[in-house]
Amino acid sequence: MGYKIRNILCMPVISSKNQTVAVVQLANKTGNVPFNHDDEERFRDFAASIGIILESCQSFYNVLLEKQYQKDILQSLSDAVISTDMAGQIVTINDAALELLGCPIGDANSKNNKLLWEQNLIGRLVWEVVSIENLQMQLEDSLKTGAKHYVPEQSLMLGLYQVLSEELEVKSETQYSGARTQHSILAVRDRTNPDIFIPWNQPLTPQSEFLTSNEVQTLERNINLTVNPLINPEGCVRGGLVVLEDITLLRKNG
């Protein structure tokens, strides 16, 4: 390429596992003088920081891959499955779990319904959404000790509330028309008052937005509950897995 090399300083980039993962190189020190020991020491520190950055990027990439893999696996399961992080917050929730909670997955507006529900559920504490007695205690025990819990025939009472939302449909670059679309949202029965339901069971919801049992469509589920820890390849707990088996139809048919 016509670039004349006068002097070169090369340094390996070492990972935390003491493996060479890359090489960095300096060429042609200013002033046309050789690289010296001080240059080598400073460059070694720079190479070490590069190693940390590369490992961080690779770790972040691996986390994204694992999260997508986990999501794909959960979606392929017929059981209702919810995964959580170490705080008990929902990370993924598959279609079967959304349907069990009342999300109208099969409606014509299913894509928007699913998006709406995921936006309101992912990141929430799972026991706020799935109001089953002792779920918090069982999940926290799994996260802390790695224990597995199976609890048959739990009662889950849900409510669906119909709301109208406006969607803007683009007709042209300058003209828009508003379309009002009906959505079903999740309402969870208040633990202290069985006649009250709270939309999405959001904390600090004002009482003026509480719903009565007459305003919602109630759904009663009979659930077999399984709570397991998610274990990483190193054998450490990295999250929780809540599996909900709806036995309502089985009990009716039995």
Side-chain angles (χ1 to χ4, degrees):
M1 297 177 64
Y3 185 74
K4 185 176 180 179
I5 301 295
R6 296 188 299 271
N7 45 51
I8 292 177
L9 177 60
C10 292
M11 190 70 63
V13 176
I14 308 299
S15 71
S16 60
K17 297 179 180 179
N18 203 31
Q19 297 175 333
T20 300
V21 295
V23 174
V24 289
Q25 174 181 289
L26 290 177
N28 295 348
K29 182 177 178 179
T30 302
N32 197 22
V33 294
F35 291 105
N36 56 33
H37 180 71
D38 289 340
D39 297 327
E40 184 177 342
E41 290 300 315
R42 285 195 291 267
F43 199 34
R44 181 176 286 110
D45 293 339
F46 175 76
S49 66
I50 292 296
I52 294 172
I53 292 171
L54 288 177
E55 281 196 296
S56 298
C57 291
Q58 185 62 49
S59 298
F60 180 69
Y61 179 68
N62 290 339
V63 167
L64 292 180
L65 284 180
E66 183 179 355
K67 184 177 180 180
Q68 185 59 48
Y69 175 74
Q70 182 186 112
K71 185 176 181 180
D72 292 342
I73 291 296
L74 294 186
Q75 288 295 0
S76 69
L77 299 176
S78 57
D79 286 333
V81 182
I82 302 171
S83 69
T84 77
D85 61 14
M86 291 299 291
Q89 295 175 319
I90 296 174
V91 176
T92 60
I93 179 168
N94 68 357
D95 287 358
L98 289 173
E99 282 194 285
L100 184 145
L101 293 175
C103 179
I105 292 289
D107 286 5
N109 198 32
S110 60
K111 184 177 181 180
N112 290 335
N113 287 329
K114 180 180 176 181
L115 180 61
L116 174 67
W117 281 59
E118 286 180 338
Q119 287 175 341
N120 282 276
L121 300 183
I122 291 177
R124 298 282 306 284
L125 294 170
V126 66
W127 51 81
E128 291 179 352
V129 175
V130 183
S131 184
I132 292 180
E133 188 175 0
N134 295 327
L135 173 57
Q136 179 178 356
M137 180 183 68
Q138 291 153 355
L139 179 58
E140 289 179 340
D141 182 57
S142 291
L143 296 173
K144 182 178 180 180
T145 68
K148 300 179 180 180
H149 297 277
Y150 174 71
V151 188
E153 298 190 18
Q154 295 292 294
S155 178
L156 177 62
M157 179 64 73
L158 305 167
L160 294 182
Y161 180 63
Q162 301 296 322
V163 296
L164 288 175
S165 63
E166 285 196 354
E167 294 180 345
L168 288 177
E169 297 178 346
V170 179
K171 283 190 173 181
S172 67
E173 293 183 357
T174 58
Q175 183 181 2
Y176 297 83
S177 67
R180 293 177 66 82
T181 305
Q182 193 170 50
H183 289 286
S184 294
I185 69 169
L186 175 65
V188 179
R189 171 173 279 176
D190 182 50
R191 291 182 179 273
T192 61
N193 188 342
D195 292 324
I196 296 297
F197 287 77
I198 304 173
W200 301 117
N201 203 26
Q202 289 281 7
L204 305 179
T205 301
Q207 289 191 3
S208 59
E209 296 181 14
F210 287 1
L211 305 168
T212 66
S213 56
N214 295 327
E215 297 178 280
V216 301
Q217 174 192 353
T218 56
L219 300 175
E220 186 173 2
R221 311 288 199 198
N222 294 301
I223 301 294
N224 286 339
L225 171 68
T226 304
V227 181
N228 290 322
L230 281 172
I231 309 295
N232 65 16
E234 289 74 31
C236 300
V237 178
R238 60 177 178 80
L241 203 64
V242 177
V243 182
L244 307 166
E245 181 189 8
D246 188 359
I247 59 173
T248 305
L249 293 178
L250 295 178
R251 294 186 63 177
K252 286 182 179 179
N253 295 334

